[in-house]
Each structure stands twice: as C-alpha cells, then as structure tokens.
Amino acid sequence: MRLTALILAAVPCAAHAQTAPESAPGEKTAQGDVAVTIYNNDLALIQDKRMLALPAGRTRQEFADVSAAIRPETVTLSAANTAIVEQNFDFDLLTPQKLMDKAVGQSVTLVKTNPETGAETSESARVLANNGGTIVQVGNRIEVLNGSRRVVFGSLPPNLRARPTLSVTLDSSSAGTRPATLNYLSTGFGWKADYVALFDESAGKIDVQGWITLTNTTGTSFANASTLLVAGAPGSGSGSQARYGYNPSRSIPGNRPGTETAPREQFGDFYVYPLKERTTIANAQQKQVGFLDVAAVPAGKAYFYRNGWLSASDEAKSADTVLRFSSSSQGGLGDALPAGTVRVYMRDARGQPQFIGESNIGHTPMGSRLALKTGEAFDVKVQPTVVKRERLGADRWRTTMHYKFTNARAQAVTVEFAQAGLDSWWDDTRIESESLKSERTNADEALWKVAVPANGEAGLDAVFITRF
Amino acid sequence: MRLFRLLAVCAAALLAIAPAAAQVVTSPGPDSVSVTIYREPDRSPTAEIDLDWLTGYALVTEKRTVSIPAGRGVIRFEGVAGGILPESAIVTGLPAGVREKNLDADLLAPASLYAHYVGRPVTIRRTLKGKSVEERAIIRSGPGGAAILQTREGFIAASCGPSQDDIIYDSVPEGLTAKPTLSVETDSPRAGKVTLTLSYLAWNFDWQANYVATMRPGGRTADLLAWVTLANGDVTSFAEAETMVVAGKLNREDSERQEGPEGRPLQVTCFPRPLPVQMEMRGRVAPAPMAPPMVESAMAEDIGNIVVTGARMAKQEELGDLKLYRIPDATTVASMSQKQVMMFDRKAVPVDILYRARVSGDEADEVRIALRAQNRKEKGLGLPLPAGKVAIFEPLGERRLLVGEASLADKAVNEEVELEIADATQVAATVEQGEEGRDWADQILTVTNANPHPVRFEAEFQRDDDYRLTRMSKRLGRHNGHDVWAVTVPANGTATLRYRKVDVD
C-alpha cells in the first residue's frame, strides 16, 4: 500500500524528467537574452540573443519560442561568420485532415480492437485518396474508412507543425558556438498609462501616481526580458491617432499643450520609458509598473456646461465637473504624460478615498495645462430656455435666450458656460445684447463665466443675431 | 530509501520550476472590506437594473494582513471580485512599495492545458464499449482543431477511431490559474506582518433609488419613502462590508462592460468520413464539454436573494460634486443578490396633482396626470433625490392601489420635481379651428372634465419657428421656458382658451 502511494507520487516527477522537445512555460524556454520594445499601437519589437552552436557549412535552425503573433516578414538574424541562405516561416499546422492528405500514396496501419477481449489485430493499408472520405487499399480490397478501426501513421509529414515555426537556413564559415541576434516585430503587445489622482479639494492639491500598464496577448511568455516602452505609434501614418489619443475632454476649456521638455530619454519625437529591472511578461498577463509619483500638486475644480444651438430643456441639466492641473515642472506634475486614463479619487467624510470619475488623456507634453471632465455635478445645474425667436429677414433671426443657473451647494461656484453653434457655416453671427460680458473663445462659441451664489441661482440673458 | 531519495529529487525539481527567487505569499481573503457602488453611467432613470448583466461598477477597498518575506516577494490576492478592472488596482501599506502589479489570466482550461503539453508526454486512455486501455503518448499537434498523438505504434488522431480517447495530464503546468489572479511584487527590507489596503474598481454592480409615494386622503400631500436598491452580480460575496452608494454621474471611459478572460474548450476534429458513419459517430467525436466560462456560469443562476431591510437608514454625505450614501452598519453584499436599504421616509409632503397637455399650434397631445412637488425644506423635502423609479399609490378603503409609475432624474435641493404618472381618462383637451384668413387661423382649445370634482389643468405651448400664437383670450404664464395656460376646470365642466395661429413667412 505504501509503495503504491510512493509510486503514484512519483509519476508526475517522472513526467517532468522526460525531455520536452518543444518548450512549455515553466520549462526552460528556448529564448535567450530578450529585449522587448513596446509601442502604443499593438506593436512590439523583440530582440532575442541566443547562443547558436553551428557546424561549418549549411544548417537549418529552428527558432522555438518566438512570439506566436510574430510578423515573420520582419525577421532579421545576425551572427558572426554566418550568412543567411533563407528564412522560412512554416504555418501549415498539423491536423488529422492534413495528416491524411499527406498520407495519400503511403501506407498506414489499421488497428481493430475486439471489444470483448481487447485483442488487437492490425493490417497494413495504402491510402489511395482523401476527398470527402478516405479510400484505402487493404490487400486487394478497396474500402472507405469508416471509423471502425484506428488509423496509425508511421511518421509525421515534415512541414506540418504543432505551431507556426520560424526556421532559418544558415551558411557558417566556421564551426562553433556564437551569439545570434534575432529581431522581429510582433503584434499582441500594447501599453498605456494609468494614473491615480487623489484630489484634496479644500487644499486645492492632487497627488498623482502614474503606472505603465502593459498587456501581452501574443500567446507566448517572455522571461526575464529587458523592457522599453515607447510613447508613440510609429508607422501609423498621417492623420491616424494613437490608440488612446482621442480625447473628448479636449473640448473642455483649459486644455493647452505644453512646450517644456521632460527629463526623460527621447527617441525622435517619442519619449521612452525603460523599465528599471528585467521582468517576465507572461502570456495573457497585464502588468503594471510605476513611473510617476508626485504629491501636492496644485489643482482646481471648475464647472462647465456647453449648450447646443437652440437647445432648451424642460429640466435643469447638470454642469460638468472639471479637474484642472498642469504637467509643468513649475507647479505641476513635472513630466510628460503618456496617453492613458486618469482616475480621480477623493476622500470621503471618514478619510477613505472614493472614486469620483475618470478621463482619458492623449500623449501630453510637459508644461501642458489639463482640464479633465470627471463627471457631472449633482448640485450645479443649468437650464437654457428659448424666450423668443424673431424673423428679421430671409436668413436672419433674432433669438432671445435665458439661462438659469442653480447651485445647491453650500459654497458659491462659477460656471463656465458656452453657447455653441454660433458658426454654422456663416461667421456673421453676433450677440446683440447680453446681461454679462462674454468672451468669444472661437468662431463657434461664446463663453460666459457665471457666478452662482451658495444655495442660490443666477440668470443670464443673451440675444443672438444669426442666420438660423 | 532509494525511493525516498527519488522523491526528494523530484520535489526539488518541482520547486525549481517556480519563477525566479521571489517568495510567493498568498492572501486568501480580506480582513475587512468596504464596497462603494456606482450606478451605470448611461442607464436612464426609466431603465430597470438588469440583474443578469449589471454594468454599474463598484470601488472595493479591502484591508488584508499579509506576512511578507524579506527581499523579493510576490503577494497573490485571492478572493477579489471577478469583474475586477486590474488596471485600477491600488495597493498601499507595503513598507517598500509595489515594484510591479500583475494580473495573470492564462486560465486553466482544456485548450490551454493541452497547449502547454504540446511536445510533452501524456497518458491516453482508450475506451471502447466500457473497457479502457491506457498508454503513454506525446502530443504532436497544437490545440487549433486536432489532437494528434505519438504512441509506441505510431501517430494517431485522438477520438478518430472507434474508441473514445481521453488525454490524461500528469500535472497542472506553472502559470495556469483557475481564476484571473492579481499579484504584486515587493522588495521589503525585512520580513513581517503588514496590513495593506487593496482597492480596485469592478464591474457587475449597480444601484438606483426607488421611491414609493402614498397619497394622503384629499390628494394634497403624500408620504414619500425612498430606498437604495443595490445589486451585486459578482461571483464574490462581501461579508460584513461597509457599504456605500454614490449618486451623480461619473465620467467613465470604458463604459462598455468587458467580458473577462475565458478558458477555451479543446476542439477536436477528425478526417472526413462517409456521411452515415459520421452521423453515428457524432456522439463520440463531439468536442470536449465546454468549460463553463466564469461570468456566464455565474449569471446562469438567477439572482436569488432579494433582501429588504428597513430598520437602518442610509446616511448621506457630500463627496465632491457627488452624493455618497453610507449604510450605517456593516452589511453583507452577497454574490448574486439585490438588497434594499431605506434612504429616507418623509410624511405628508405637499404635492400638486394636475392634468397636463402639450399643445403645438392646432393640436393638443394626450392629457396626462402629473405630480408636482418642490424639493424644498419648507415643503417637507429639501433632500438630494438620486435618479430612480417612483411608484405612486392611493388608498382605497383598506387597500392601497397603484395609480401611476414614473421615473426621476437626479434632483438637487430646491429643484422642482415633476412626474407624469398616468394617462388621464376623464379629462381631455381638443383644439378646434374657428375663422381663418390668408395666413392665420383662430383656434379654440377646450378642456373637458368628467370628474365630479374640479381639476387643475395646464396647457404647455410648444415653440415653433413657423408660426406665432397671438390674441390669447386668457393670460398665459411661463414655466420651464414654455408659455403655459393654467386653469381650474370645474367638476363635470369645461374650460376654453381662444387664440390665433399666424404663419411666419
């Protein structure tokens, strides 16, 4: 009994002891010294330095454990005293159908098991064809295989593989072991930044931590890799934007790109973020590494509401809550910010941080001013109404608007209110009269800064002369 | 003795498989937890909570005690919410901070298990008519649609012969986990017990307010009861959790709920066979049974528990521009459950019941019954009212009858609350045309009341650039930017307004 238990326990060990022809995670990988450079647009450059033992003359080398999402056309290999004859990427995968296809004209063994006794009888058969069914010749009988016998193949066709395999035929001028560097691009990698901002409203400060979040969906793990992240999307061509580049909160007033250079390594137009230490990027893993940690940066809160042209509402609508801060080295975060998501937290009455909203940012140079919408204010609302519309001519209208601002907070607030739609193809629109001086921020919009008293309301009247 | 030594070597070999030198510490669960639930950002007040697909979210804050080793250590967090957004995870309280955070989502599933064993030895068990034979084999094909194995006799395709072939693996490969697992790496100067805080956002929660208004006899006041209704659709229960909900609309960038990582089943195909036999074989050749994906399996069970508690009342706090409601004592936010906690209970709130119709030029819409209240302290309210549904009841003898249902958007203090609760059946509004000219027509708006009591009626005129309304026979008021004719229609009587509609050229 004891012996049985011991033997059972030993079985998994025995399995590990056997040689594994191809690697599996947890086993030794065929990868060498790996360096991974990850871009924002589902792209990574992988450099893999392996030791190759080459005889003099021509040899074919298979490179196991390359990324399963490799772009094979981008592979380059360099090694001393070695010339490349050809590079092959075999992606013909082994399936029963293909195995049978390749067995046409060859012999297989058919094994029949007696269900009663378990006795097996085998006979040799020649595969004649495999078209919607397998035709075999057994002796001088021609049969269609019907699954009543087990088909045993003598060998596997050489080009069919368990997984796509990169192989390179090399011509070496001398025998010996030497380092070889394999370079290739792979999809399935991506990264973005995630920021944690703790906002202290009464002090007007934020603490910000920045994390680099990288994901590996290549199907391959990279152990002990030296990792570099590039804040950019090379090769995405003109006009297209980085994955997280689109940012609707850009249209919130207060955003302005900066002109300062961050104290980071640059590469062309891109900032690069090297990870301090080598790390293992496992398959299906999402990894986060910190890159920014600043405390007590001045920050402020603002309220913003944009009204569409002739938009009126039967109910008051909440104004946006906007968080403003700077990425400048003077009174700001003091760094260039890679594109990502800023999550904003605030302490509740018991001091526990609570989530109050998030906003995406694009790649942001140092010295920028940021205005991020975190949410909508429960207590600060705007109700626009159309008071009067008068037709002045064929395409001339006078529109009288009234905007009501309400504030249920115990503090006075200022709402930045934009009336949009003033430039619908025509620029000869104007404000005939207004109860508060506006600022024409652009051709399409007029902006008012409306002070609303604590637990009170304020009104704004404006008369517009427009084409519509 | 020899056997014993073999085992020792074996154990060492297994240990060597673990990555690097970092010591792994597992934190099985939190000591205490607080859950703050946020409403789905884009769900309108009229929409119900979809218990089968909750797309609101929660901030989960956990306190955990962990014994950390000196030097490199990996802390694995178990028992986190299944809907975790790993990029939002924050870990504080480690003496040396966090070197890196990882979410490993390579799940243990038939396909991944097979894939890790490609090129490695397994056991194949052939079952034919209830009898099994086992032998060792090496997997030679990838998991993309086939299982080709090398046995001592040659190469075979699994389950493509008469027998049912099962693959038996020797052990679970390193790196495959039952659930996506969050871990952090730290580099502590010394070993010791630390209490750390783990917080993260997770999908699969939602909440809303629910209001019950019961009209008092006379119809001038109503009792208003408000509930916080919260739901947890996650596989994880949060026992004795400090529970909060947040009202107001937060900006979310990934407002689409994502499916979590899923384990894939192993699909096995065979060479083609003549049709009749294939039909017969189908039962045996069918792919391995689907590993139930985590989220779906959880959702397949109905949300079982609906708990209503009235003894405790949620307390409202300010949170920036949002409203936070704290449930006063710890409560269990159970997996797959909905819970209701009282928000407030106000007696005899003054309300107006009135009949309303929108009028546009020469047409009146259906007349609807509306309830109007002022959210002011002096009017018995003066509380933030988070979005939700309102049910209105009226007593009829011993019974309470439902007279209407409506929904409410977030309402701040001092706002007017107006709810359209039902279509009117006894009050109607019609517009008839009187005299007309080249570009004008006189209109007669008549409101009829078949009730044995007078009713208040409001006609709300819709603005249009194509015409003007003039020569109103009664004075109009203004409400929410509309011209409004407000009138009391006598019991079993009518009221009339005349005006002229003039086209604008």
Side-chain angles (χ1 to χ4, degrees):
Chain A
M1 195 60 217
R2 254 180 66 214
L3 198 68
T4 323
L6 280 174
I7 287 167
L8 280 178
V11 166
C13 177
H16 279 292
Q18 295 193 31
T19 52
E22 285 173 70
S23 94
E27 300 287 301
K28 227 173 147 55
T29 164
Q31 290 162 6
D33 181 2
V34 178
V36 182
T37 305
I38 305 174
Y39 301 89
N40 286 127
N41 53 340
D42 186 27
L43 187 68
L45 171 69
I46 293 157
Q47 192 183 69
D48 188 349
K49 269 190 203 153
R50 303 183 180 196
M51 296 305 288
L52 284 189
L54 296 176
R58 283 197 181 190
T59 46
R60 187 162 167 276
Q61 294 285 325
E62 281 196 6
F63 289 87
D65 293 314
V66 296
S67 163
I70 186 173
R71 284 169 55 181
E73 71 281 10
T74 64
V75 171
T76 59
L77 180 79
S78 52
N81 304 323
T82 310
I84 295 169
V85 180
E86 62 173 34
Q87 277 176 196
N88 293 296
F89 188 67
D90 297 319
F91 50 88
D92 204 2
L93 295 183
L94 183 58
T95 65
Q97 168 72 21
K98 283 186 193 155
L99 186 58
M100 191 62 92
D101 278 345
K102 306 263 172 166
V104 169
Q106 294 176 8
S107 287
V108 296
T109 310
L110 300 180
V111 182
K112 188 168 193 143
T113 309
N114 184 325
E116 306 307 323
T117 62
E120 298 192 332
T121 47
S122 25
E123 52 191 342
S124 181
R126 206 175 134 79
V127 181
L128 298 180
N130 186 38
N131 302 310
T134 310
I135 316 292
V136 293
Q137 181 177 13
V138 183
N140 48 14
R141 290 172 295 140
I142 307 296
E143 289 182 42
V144 179
L145 278 189
N146 64 4
S148 63
R149 284 166 293 185
R150 187 162 84 239
V151 185
V152 177
F153 299 86
S155 65
L156 291 182
N159 288 326
L160 291 183
R161 297 173 185 282
R163 42 173 84 106
T165 306
L166 177 73
S167 69
V168 183
T169 305
L170 299 169
D171 192 356
S172 177
S173 59
S174 62
T177 301
R178 74 211 72 179
T181 306
L182 189 65
N183 274 300
Y184 59 91
L185 293 176
S186 172
T187 60
F189 271 113
W191 78 279
K192 64 166 197 146
D194 280 283
Y195 301 89
V196 179
L198 183 63
F199 179 45
D200 182 342
E201 190 178 355
S202 56
K205 304 268 186 200
I206 46 168
D207 298 343
V208 179
Q209 279 187 332
W211 292 87
I212 281 164
T213 307
L214 60 97
T215 50
N216 174 6
T217 54
T218 57
T220 310
S221 295
F222 293 87
N224 202 23
S226 148
T227 308
L228 184 73
L229 304 145
V230 176
S236 53
S238 60
S240 81
Q241 290 184 313
R243 228 161 134 202
Y244 292 89
Y246 173 70
N247 178 13
S249 68
R250 276 273 176 262
S251 60
I252 287 183
N255 280 300
R256 200 192 64 185
T259 54
E260 298 172 26
T261 303
R264 291 209 179 260
E265 201 179 332
Q266 245 180 321
F267 156 73
D269 197 38
F270 309 127
Y271 279 102
V272 294
Y273 295 81
L275 299 194
K276 276 194 203 94
E277 290 181 57
R278 286 178 170 265
T279 188
T280 295
I281 310 166
N283 178 40
Q285 188 181 55
Q286 177 174 311
K287 179 183 286 294
Q288 285 193 303
V289 182
F291 75 97
L292 178 74
D293 192 353
V294 286
V297 170
K301 195 178 74 174
Y303 298 96
F304 176 69
Y305 191 93
R306 173 179 281 116
N307 196 43
W309 181 236
L310 289 182
S311 169
S313 126
D314 285 355
E315 280 186 293
K317 298 276 177 66
S318 284
D320 292 343
T321 303
V322 176
L323 179 69
R324 288 192 177 140
F325 56 94
S326 151
S327 66
S328 169
S329 56
Q330 305 295 315
L333 302 181
D335 206 341
L337 308 177
T341 307
V342 182
R343 293 191 183 78
V344 186
Y345 295 77
M346 220 169 153
R347 291 191 190 277
D348 66 14
R350 296 193 185 177
Q352 186 186 327
Q354 299 286 358
F355 179 63
I356 61 158
E358 68 185 16
S359 182
N360 282 348
I361 58 168
H363 291 305
T364 305
M366 189 161 94
S368 300
R369 283 200 298 210
L370 290 105
L372 307 179
K373 173 183 172 177
T374 59
E376 294 176 9
F378 197 99
D379 284 334
V380 180
K381 295 196 176 187
V382 182
Q383 185 177 26
T385 52
V386 180
V387 177
K388 214 164 34 173
R389 287 269 287 167
E390 295 159 278
R391 191 156 197 183
L392 305 178
D395 52 4
R396 217 73 193 131
W397 288 86
R398 175 188 284 126
T399 307
T400 308
M401 297 290 295
H402 178 74
Y403 310 101
K404 188 169 110 182
F405 299 83
T406 52
N407 174 18
R409 290 172 66 80
Q411 304 86 33
V413 299
T414 299
V415 179
E416 290 173 38
F417 174 80
Q419 174 62 63
L422 302 182
D423 171 26
S424 345
W425 309 106
W426 309 97
D427 52 11
D428 55 348
T429 60
R430 65 191 175 87
I431 298 169
E432 191 179 58
S433 67
E434 54 191 355
S435 62
L436 183 73
K437 186 84 193 85
S438 67
E439 189 189 326
R440 194 70 177 255
T441 46
N442 59 48
D444 194 52
E445 284 185 8
L447 185 81
W448 288 268
K449 290 182 177 158
V450 183
V452 192
N455 300 111
E457 53 180 76
L460 169 67
D461 294 292
V463 179
F464 301 90
I465 305 290
T466 58
R467 290 268 184 171
F468 300 100
Chain B
M1 193 58 214
R2 258 184 66 213
L3 258 175
F4 182 76
R5 205 162 52 210
L6 175 65
L7 274 181
V9 169
C10 171
L14 282 171
L15 277 179
I17 291 165
Q23 229 176 308
V24 180
V25 183
T26 300
S27 165
D31 306 333
S32 65
V33 62
S34 79
V35 180
T36 308
I37 298 177
Y38 298 83
R39 204 186 145 91
E40 174 187 340
D42 296 322
R43 185 161 60 85
S44 85
T46 53
E48 302 273 358
I49 291 181
D50 181 0
L51 291 178
D52 289 332
W53 184 248
L54 296 174
T55 47
Y57 50 98
L59 174 71
V60 181
T61 307
E62 304 179 347
K63 291 255 185 285
R64 289 174 180 245
T65 310
V66 181
S67 300
I68 54 165
R72 288 283 168 89
V74 172
I75 306 163
R76 287 166 60 90
F77 297 104
E78 289 182 353
V80 298
I84 182 171
L85 288 155
E87 64 273 28
S88 70
I90 304 169
V91 177
T92 53
L94 284 171
V98 174
R99 285 189 67 245
E100 61 177 54
K101 290 183 267 185
N102 291 300
L103 184 88
D104 293 299
D106 211 353
L107 298 184
L108 179 57
S112 62
L113 187 57
Y114 182 95
H116 278 78
Y117 266 93
V118 170
R120 294 173 63 185
V122 293
T123 301
I124 180 166
R125 180 174 59 211
R126 280 197 205 95
T127 310
L128 188 63
K129 301 239 163 100
K131 289 187 182 157
S132 321
V133 185
E134 293 189 4
E135 68 172 311
R136 295 294 278 177
I138 296 174
I139 295 181
R140 286 300 180 199
S141 71
I148 292 168
L149 302 167
Q150 182 176 14
T151 63
R152 95 195 116 70
E153 58 188 5
F155 297 89
I156 59 151
S159 288
C160 292
S163 59
Q164 152 95 48
D165 301 343
D166 298 314
I167 299 167
I168 300 154
Y169 304 93
D170 296 336
S171 66
V172 174
E174 187 72 30
L176 292 186
T177 50
K179 289 185 206 163
T181 306
L182 180 74
S183 64
V184 297
E185 214 178 296
T186 186
D187 197 351
S188 173
R190 62 196 158 270
K193 218 166 213 152
V194 294
T195 301
L196 49 84
T197 307
L198 165 68
S199 75
Y200 54 88
L201 295 174
W203 289 115
N204 225 342
F205 295 84
D206 209 348
W207 84 277
Q208 67 179 31
N210 277 89
Y211 301 90
V212 179
T214 308
M215 299 298 297
R216 292 269 182 111
R220 311 292 290 176
T221 59
D223 296 339
L224 187 62
L225 191 63
W227 293 93
V228 170
T229 305
L230 58 91
N232 171 11
D234 201 83
V235 289
T236 308
S237 285
F238 299 94
E240 291 302 306
E242 191 183 340
T243 308
M244 290 152 276
V245 298
V246 169
K249 192 172 173 186
L250 280 78
N251 200 41
R252 281 305 305 275
E253 299 290 358
D254 49 355
S255 45
E256 285 280 299
R257 175 177 154 180
Q258 306 289 315
E259 284 280 10
E262 280 183 11
R264 279 185 301 120
L266 180 63
Q267 309 273 1
V268 180
T269 57
C270 284
F271 2 92
R273 289 212 209 86
L275 209 54
V277 183
Q278 197 176 17
M279 299 265 291
E280 190 187 295
M281 295 292 293
R282 190 162 287 165
R284 269 180 279 165
V285 182
M290 278 261 264
M294 289 180 57
V295 179
E296 272 177 40
S297 73
M299 298 324 296
E301 313 164 22
D302 263 341
I303 297 225
N305 296 324
I306 296 183
V307 183
V308 181
T309 54
R312 48 187 165 203
M313 219 172 272
K315 262 183 45 206
Q316 186 239 313
E317 294 170 13
E318 303 291 315
L319 177 69
D321 286 300
L322 308 166
K323 304 291 175 190
L324 182 134
Y325 293 85
R326 189 185 296 274
I327 292 160
D329 34 42
T331 182
T332 295
V333 183
S335 169
M336 305 293 144
S337 76
Q338 178 177 313
K339 183 189 276 289
Q340 287 193 294
V341 179
M342 201 184 284
M343 192 190 290
F344 62 79
D345 184 9
R346 290 292 163 110
K347 304 290 183 203
V349 177
V351 295
D352 288 333
I353 297 288
L354 55 116
Y355 291 78
R356 297 191 342 166
R358 290 188 179 85
V359 179
S360 40
D362 46 14
E363 256 182 339
D365 287 357
E366 294 266 298
V367 178
R368 315 202 75 192
I369 307 172
L371 182 150
R372 189 181 284 161
Q374 304 300 325
N375 185 17
R376 292 176 183 274
K377 217 169 194 163
E378 63 272 21
K379 299 274 187 186
L381 273 175
L383 299 159
L385 303 176
K389 293 209 153 200
V390 189
I392 298 108
F393 293 91
E394 214 171 277
L396 179 74
E398 289 290 289
R399 301 180 184 201
R400 274 166 83 233
L401 296 187
L402 180 71
V403 291
E405 258 194 304
S407 59
L408 184 74
D410 286 339
K411 288 288 174 187
V413 175
N414 289 349
E415 277 198 84
E416 183 181 73
V417 176
E418 211 169 63
L419 306 169
E420 287 199 341
I421 58 179
D423 288 334
T425 57
Q426 301 303 309
V427 177
T430 50
V431 180
E432 282 171 81
Q433 192 169 307
E435 275 183 63
E436 61 180 323
R438 191 182 57 81
D439 61 351
W440 56 270
D442 282 341
Q443 310 286 336
I444 305 128
L445 168 63
T446 309
V447 188
T448 56
N449 175 20
N451 287 303
H453 53 80
V455 297
R456 289 181 57 194
F457 174 83
E458 286 186 4
E460 188 185 272
F461 289 92
Q462 305 299 300
R463 194 186 52 77
D464 198 304
D465 281 349
D466 293 338
Y467 55 80
R468 284 179 293 132
L469 303 180
T470 60
R471 299 192 183 194
M472 293 282 172
S473 65
K474 305 272 164 51
R475 251 184 92 88
L476 299 192
R478 287 284 284 180
H479 187 243
N480 283 333
H482 299 284
D483 288 330
V484 170
W485 174 48
V487 66
T488 301
V489 189
N492 304 107
T494 60
T496 310
L497 174 80
R498 292 164 181 279
Y499 58 90
R500 177 168 288 181
K501 179 185 164 202
V502 183
D503 292 341
V504 174
D505 31 65

